[in-house]
Amino acid sequence: MNRYLARVLIGSTAAAIAAVSIPVSSASALPTLAFLLPGGARCASTTSAGAEVYPLDSYASFSADGTKVAFGAAATPTGVEQIWVKNLISGALTLVSTPGSGISGNDTSARPRLSPDGTKVAFYSFASNLVAGDTNAVDDTFVANLSTGVISRISTSATGVQADVVTNPVDEPSFSGDGNLVAFTSSASTLVAGDTNGVGDIFVRNLTTGAISRVSTSATGAQSDNSSRRPVISPDGTKVTFYGPATN
């Protein structure tokens, strides 16, 4: 089975920007996350001292000013995928999917999205040790505050009821421009009242008030009759785009 060398490249001109996934036939080849600046590529998947972590997919996310990049990687070649943020100015590499004290999440975390100002990371995770009371044994959506290190689980109801269904997400969450609203996908029926359609829906969480709303409904509030995916929230937080095969 091929492994994949995941690279993120950013150049000083539009023509130089690319994201590529290159198959590697050698089982010993290790994935690398890189960024391209004038003068050549630089490796992002290392600590400031040069120690490596090992990206497991090609999903990565930049802050708006391009100084931070979030990505999923394992601490060892055979380890569980975690979320990391690399500061491209200082070289510091920070473990994000942690309950504290350098402890890693106890299951896979993936699909990170940095807020535009680079202060928060939203991601999906099957880990049960990132927040207290995570006993639902399904994947959840989390937001980590990079300034305080605090992680919040946002895929709950406004009163804290846990998600009841595995979503197996393939889409990254999406932040509004001010980082206060997060759009994400969930198949759970417990996040808002009246969710009985049994398919993946798009939700928006207000990080200040804790309010959560389902946006993948008709203008009259009718539930979607099929799954919705890939939410992107507008910078001003007033609109969400998504797609799906729903007919209503």
Side-chain angles (χ1 to χ4, degrees):
M1 178 182 295
N2 284 345
R3 299 186 65 180
Y4 288 87
L5 175 64
R7 288 195 178 101
V8 174
L9 306 177
I10 183 167
S12 57
T13 66
I17 296 174
V20 296
S21 184
I22 305 172
V24 178
S25 57
S26 170
S28 63
L30 295 175
T32 301
L33 190 77
F35 61 99
L36 184 64
L37 294 173
R42 303 290 185 271
C43 183
S45 50
T46 59
T47 67
S48 57
E52 291 187 88
V53 294
Y54 306 99
L56 297 178
D57 61 39
S58 58
Y59 283 84
S61 174
F62 278 103
S63 58
D65 64 3
T67 62
K68 294 178 181 177
V69 59
F71 59 94
T76 67
T78 58
V80 171
E81 185 173 5
Q82 307 289 341
I83 303 301
W84 307 79
V85 168
K86 174 83 169 185
N87 186 313
L88 302 181
I89 303 301
S90 69
L93 183 66
T94 302
L95 175 64
V96 174
S97 52
T98 170
S101 302
I103 300 169
S104 298
N106 58 9
D107 208 333
T108 298
S109 297
R111 305 294 192 265
R113 177 67 68 182
L114 266 167
S115 61
D117 65 0
T119 63
K120 304 180 187 76
V121 182
F123 59 95
Y124 293 100
S125 183
F126 282 90
S128 63
N129 65 336
L130 299 183
V131 297
D134 188 344
T135 59
N136 58 352
V138 303
D139 52 304
D140 289 300
T141 305
F142 298 86
V143 171
N145 185 312
L146 299 181
S147 299
T148 64
V150 173
I151 291 183
S152 304
R153 182 168 51 158
I154 65 170
S155 54
T156 65
S157 75
T159 59
V161 177
Q162 301 185 89
D164 60 345
V165 175
V166 172
T167 298
N168 283 321
V170 293
D171 310 320
E172 311 101 296
S174 175
F175 278 102
S176 59
D178 63 2
N180 185 51
L181 302 177
V182 185
F184 63 96
T185 306
S186 179
S187 299
S189 66
T190 50
L191 305 190
V192 296
D195 188 345
T196 59
N197 60 352
V199 299
D201 288 306
I202 306 301
F203 297 87
V204 172
R205 186 85 181 213
N206 186 310
L207 300 183
T208 300
T209 67
I212 185 169
S213 57
R214 181 170 54 157
V215 299
S216 51
T217 62
S218 74
T220 60
Q223 300 187 92
S224 173
D225 62 6
N226 214 319
S227 292
S228 301
R229 291 186 51 200
R230 297 188 179 175
V232 177
I233 193 166
S234 62
D236 65 0
T238 63
K239 306 174 186 71
V240 179
T241 65
F242 57 92
Y243 92 95
T247 63
N248 63 338

